[in-house]
Amino acid sequence: MDSPELLNAVLAGLAMTAAAQPQKPAKPTIRVKELSERDRRRLLMHFLQLDPDDRLLRFGSMLSDDLVTQYVQRLDFSRDSIFGVYSPRFELVGVGHLAFAPRDAIPEVGAATSKERLGELGISVLAKARGKGIGSRLFERAAIHCRNADVDTLYMHCLATNRTMIHIAKKAGMEIHRMHGEADAYLKLVPADPSSMLQEAVAEQIAMFDYSFKKRARAAMKLIRKLPKFKNE
Ligand SMILES: CC(C)(COP(=O)(O)OP(=O)(O)OC[C@H]1O[C@@H](n2cnc3c(N)ncnc32)[C@H](O)[C@@H]1OP(=O)(O)O)[C@@H](O)C(=O)NCCC(=O)NCCS
């Protein structure tokens, strides 16, 4: 057998082996977009949907609707980076709030960095959208954003009982310190490079396109539902 024939035989064998493997259902692609002022109302709707237990896990205390509203009103998009994942129905199902704090503000972690600032992240995913990788993708986006902003330490604070978050943190290689029922996790990040810059810029462009598409589709559906034929159904 000469080389092209051999190559074809190997490729055919590989194709047959692949076809014999049980196929895992493909996970939908998750687009993480940086949010802005125009998303504030949907951010509020997102946080108000978190039940008391989730609010405790996310904010470290049981926030009332009023306090959640105040938190959303105070979000400063020019200072912090707030990332979101929209569902195909244009519902904000996942949010990551990345704030940059002076390193002295968190002494337990501040010693780990020589940079002026460190990144502090809080994540929430609506109960109906969990287990699909949205939380992990929000985490990854925050990490690459920190790298590109010359921040080398990403910090998270959570309850020590928050097994899902601790699983995500461990999977990302975070160092975790538990004390008094709480856990501090932090990740040392490698410096930015052209590839991390390009990766984030491309991801944001694609997410922006996806966002506009879902937004228009949602508006079109609203219009269609107002047509007499659909109104009476
Ligand atoms: C924590 C949270 C953001 C995770 O979101 P998510 O979209 O479900 O996360 P993902 O789907 O990316 O990952 C979940 C992972 O945790 C694992 N997991 C789920 N429940 C678990 C549990 N009880 N113990 C250990 N691991 C668990 C899943 O198997 C999955 O692991 P894998 O990626 O290795 O398969 C979400 O549960 C949430 O919003 N909780 C309330 C708020 C909160 O706790 N925020 C974190 C503190 S800031």
Side-chain angles (χ1 to χ4, degrees):
M1 213 186 268
D2 63 14
S3 359
E5 277 177 332
L6 182 64
L7 183 64
N8 283 340
V10 170
L11 288 175
L14 284 176
M16 278 168 68
T17 315
Q21 299 294 323
Q23 296 292 309
K24 273 193 184 171
K27 281 197 174 178
T29 312
I30 297 160
R31 306 279 180 216
V32 179
K33 183 183 177 303
E34 186 156 4
L35 304 181
S36 64
E37 187 57 52
R38 64 184 169 171
D39 300 292
R40 202 183 285 275
R41 190 177 63 83
R42 287 197 161 79
L43 276 161
L44 180 59
M45 285 156 61
H46 171 90
F47 286 115
L48 289 177
Q49 282 190 69
L50 297 178
D51 69 18
D53 289 345
D54 288 343
R55 288 185 197 185
L56 176 65
L57 293 175
R58 168 62 184 81
F59 296 104
S61 55
M62 296 266 196
L63 293 196
S64 65
D65 285 0
D66 276 354
L67 287 173
V68 168
T69 306
Q70 282 178 33
Y71 162 77
V72 174
Q73 281 168 347
R74 286 193 193 131
L75 286 173
D76 181 343
F77 296 94
S78 61
R79 188 193 56 202
D80 301 343
S81 296
I82 296 137
F83 300 104
V85 173
Y86 275 93
S87 73
R89 297 167 66 91
F90 203 57
E91 184 178 16
L92 189 52
V93 288
V95 174
H97 179 179
L98 175 66
F100 293 113
R103 70 161 188 256
D104 303 341
I106 308 169
E108 312 85 274
V109 185
T113 180
S114 57
K115 305 278 180 187
E116 291 293 304
R117 306 177 302 162
L118 46 80
E120 184 175 3
L121 179 65
I123 303 182
S124 51
V125 174
L126 296 186
K128 61 186 170 192
R130 289 187 191 153
K132 297 175 182 169
I134 296 176
S136 306
R137 290 303 305 275
L138 285 162
F139 180 89
E140 287 161 16
R141 178 63 192 272
I144 202 162
H145 190 76
C146 280
R147 285 178 65 193
N148 292 337
D150 194 28
V151 165
D152 70 359
T153 308
L154 178 57
Y155 165 78
M156 286 188 86
H157 180 81
C158 63
L159 296 181
T161 50
N162 195 342
R163 289 170 51 193
T164 312
M165 198 59 242
I166 287 177
H167 174 84
I168 293 175
K170 275 190 183 159
K171 203 171 65 171
M174 286 183 114
E175 189 157 323
I176 299 166
H177 299 279
R178 288 187 176 86
M179 46 181 179
H180 313 304
E182 307 204 338
D184 282 321
Y186 73 93
L187 181 66
K188 286 297 286 178
L189 300 160
V190 293
D193 58 24
S195 134
S196 68
M197 298 275 185
L198 187 66
Q199 194 184 331
E200 189 178 14
V202 170
E204 183 60 24
Q205 278 301 314
I206 297 173
M208 186 107 78
F209 180 76
D210 180 68
Y211 174 94
S212 307
F213 178 79
K214 286 174 180 165
K215 194 174 180 184
R216 286 202 194 107
R218 172 102 182 126
M221 279 311 291
K222 272 190 177 168
L223 269 180
I224 289 170
R225 286 208 194 94
K226 282 186 186 152
L227 294 174
K229 182 180 177 307
F230 289 89
K231 252 185 170 176
N232 300 330
E233 275 176 3

